[in-house]
């Protein structure tokens, strides 16, 4: 099973507003139910897709924060993680960043770095800068002054980076993975059951549930990359968790040579629920 949600990926200090409703569909009452759902999903996914400039804006934000961090700590890097890096984000999603200093800091040093970084971000003109050095996972929350993307940045979160790589690999296996995750996350946001600080599940948890469903439906849409053609003794430990997985295209081809699941997106969504 995928490793537990890394600190910083699911926590949000303030509730996020629900996404806007999908566009009203045309009159498809004459179509069978699964075809109507398929058409409605197409409209939803088009409405929730990031705009063309989104990737450029996110990269520019990473570059701007990287420049600030490098001035403070020579050799420091800033990397994206979470949905922006795995390709699972939708229009208006926030941006999770990780500061990778040249020397891994202890927790007290990381808290001091968060305070210093918050001051530097504010001096550089970033908006709504809120350092949280005393949080369980110290972060700085801020809004990029140019793109207006809301951001969180933590320090040295290797587990988050490893989990992001795993989710990106799963999303790349089959073209139905991303839209199915998008649809489930949209449903959860509209129903307001994606707020862990109010007793419901995080968006990250819904992603894992979709992956688990796609691994266990018959025939499976996804293999278990953590077990697929795993060599004896293969291991990659990060923060006490084994994060090894197989992203070898040949192994995936051999796995699916036994036959693929041909279900439509609407059929998979119905099956998930």
């Amino acid at each position: 099973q995928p490793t537990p949600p890394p600190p910083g990926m699911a926590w949000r200090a303030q509730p996020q507003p629900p996404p806007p409703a999908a566009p009203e569909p045309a009159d498809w009452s004459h179509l069978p139910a699964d075809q109507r759902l398929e058409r409605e999903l197409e409209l939803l996914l088009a409405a929730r897709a990031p705009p063309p400039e989104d990737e450029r804006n996110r990269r520019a934000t990473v570059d701007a924060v990287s420049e600030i961090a490098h001035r403070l700590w020579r050799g420091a890097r800033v990397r994206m993680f979470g949905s922006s890096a795995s390709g699972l984000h939708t229009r208006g999603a926030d941006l999770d960043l990780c500061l990778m200093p040249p020397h891994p800091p202890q927790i007290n040093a990381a808290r001091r770095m968060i305070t210093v970084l918050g001051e530097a971000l504010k001096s550089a003109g970033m908006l709504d800068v809120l350092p949280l050095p005393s949080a369980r996972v110290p972060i700085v929350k801020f809004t990029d002054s140019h793109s207006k993307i809301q951001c969180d940045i933590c320090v040295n979160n290797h587990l988050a980076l490893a989990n992001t790589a795993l989710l990106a690999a799963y999303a790349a296996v089959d073209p139905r993975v991303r839209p199915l995750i998008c649809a489930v996350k949209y449903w959860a946001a509209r129903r307001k059951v994606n707020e862990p600080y109010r007793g419901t599940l995080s968006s990250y948890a819904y992603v894992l549930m979709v992956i688990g469903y796609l691994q266990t439906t018959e025939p499976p849409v996804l293999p278990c990359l953590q077990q697929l053609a795993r060599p004896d003794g293969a291991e990659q430990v990060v923060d006490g968790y084994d994060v090894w997985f197989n992203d070898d295209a040949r192994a995936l081809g051999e796995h699916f040579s036994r036959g693929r699941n041909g279900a439509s997106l609407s059929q998979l969504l119905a099956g998930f629920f």
Side-chain angles (χ1 to χ4, degrees), residues 79 135 151-152 203 209 216:
R79 294 179 58 183
C151 308
D152 293 349
S203 291
M209 289 172 66
T216 54

Side-chain angles (χ1 to χ4, degrees), residues 176-188:
R176 294 167 292 182
V177 175
R178 283 189 177 93
L180 183 59
I181 287 174
C182 173
V184 171
K185 289 172 65 175
Y186 175 82
W187 168 84

Side-chain angles (χ1 to χ4, degrees), residues 22-48 179 183 264-267 269:
E24 289 296 327
D27 182 11
W28 296 323
S29 57
H30 62 287
L31 296 176
D34 60 335
Q35 293 184 27
R36 292 202 304 271
L37 179 57
E38 197 77 24
R39 300 285 181 87
E40 290 167 1
L41 283 170
E42 290 173 2
L43 281 181
L44 169 65
L45 296 171
R48 300 296 295 146
S264 67
L265 182 59
S266 61
Q267 291 170 331
L269 181 61

Side-chain angles (χ1 to χ4, degrees), residues 58-59 61-63 65-67 69 75-86 95-101 117 142 151-166 236 238:
R58 290 174 189 271
R59 291 293 176 187
T61 300
V62 174
D63 292 342
V65 178
S66 295
E67 184 177 341
R77 296 174 298 142
V78 173
R79 294 179 58 183
M80 279 193 294
F81 70 95
S83 62
S84 295
S86 64
L95 174 61
D96 291 309
L97 301 174
C98 183
L99 170 64
M100 309 293 290
L117 180 59
F142 67 95
C151 308
D152 293 349
I153 183 167
C154 58
V155 178
N156 215 46
N157 198 339
H158 289 276
L159 186 59
L161 297 173
N163 269 23
T164 297
L166 175 63
Q236 182 184 351
V238 173

Side-chain angles (χ1 to χ4, degrees), residues 8-247:
M9 289 189 72
W11 183 87
R12 293 290 180 269
Q14 297 294 330
Q16 299 295 309
E24 289 296 327
D27 182 11
W28 296 323
S29 57
H30 62 287
L31 296 176
D34 60 335
Q35 293 184 27
R36 292 202 304 271
L37 179 57
E38 197 77 24
R39 300 285 181 87
E40 290 167 1
L41 283 170
E42 290 173 2
L43 281 181
L44 169 65
L45 296 171
R48 300 296 295 146
E53 68 276 9
D54 180 80
E55 183 176 357
R56 182 176 67 250
N57 287 339
R58 290 174 189 271
R59 291 293 176 187
T61 300
V62 174
D63 292 342
V65 178
S66 295
E67 184 177 341
I68 294 169
H70 187 73
R71 288 200 301 264
L72 294 171
W73 304 283
R74 186 173 298 276
R77 296 174 298 142
V78 173
R79 294 179 58 183
M80 279 193 294
F81 70 95
S83 62
S84 295
S86 64
L88 298 175
H89 70 293
T90 53
R91 180 183 294 268
D94 60 4
L95 174 61
D96 291 309
L97 301 174
C98 183
L99 170 64
M100 309 293 290
H103 305 290
Q106 298 297 320
I107 184 61
N108 288 334
R111 296 185 194 281
R112 290 192 294 271
M113 294 178 75
I114 285 296
T115 300
V116 171
L117 180 59
E119 294 172 352
L121 290 169
K122 188 177 298 184
S123 298
M126 296 296 181
L127 308 175
D128 306 321
V129 178
L130 178 62
L132 297 170
S134 299
R136 182 174 62 88
V137 177
I139 63 170
V140 182
K141 303 178 74 67
F142 67 95
T143 301
D144 180 72
S145 54
H146 297 288
S147 64
K148 303 301 187 289
I149 295 175
Q150 295 180 355
C151 308
D152 293 349
I153 183 167
C154 58
V155 178
N156 215 46
N157 198 339
H158 289 276
L159 186 59
L161 297 173
N163 269 23
T164 297
L166 175 63
L167 297 186
Y170 274 120
V173 171
D174 190 283
R176 294 167 292 182
V177 175
R178 283 189 177 93
L180 183 59
I181 287 174
C182 173
V184 171
K185 289 172 65 175
Y186 175 82
W187 168 84
R190 294 294 295 176
R191 295 296 180 181
K192 297 183 180 180
V193 289
N194 64 339
E195 300 171 347
Y197 40 84
R198 295 187 176 183
T200 58
L201 298 177
S202 67
S203 291
Y204 181 79
Y206 285 108
V207 173
L208 298 187
M209 289 172 66
V210 171
I211 291 174
Y213 162 68
L214 294 177
Q215 288 174 329
T216 54
T217 190
E218 287 293 337
V221 175
L222 294 177
C224 178
L225 295 180
Q226 295 99 311
Q227 297 176 358
L228 180 65
R230 182 168 186 149
D232 291 340
E235 189 177 59
Q236 182 184 351
V237 178
V238 173
D239 295 343
Y241 294 99
D242 181 11
V243 300
W244 183 92
F245 67 91
N246 192 333
D247 61 352

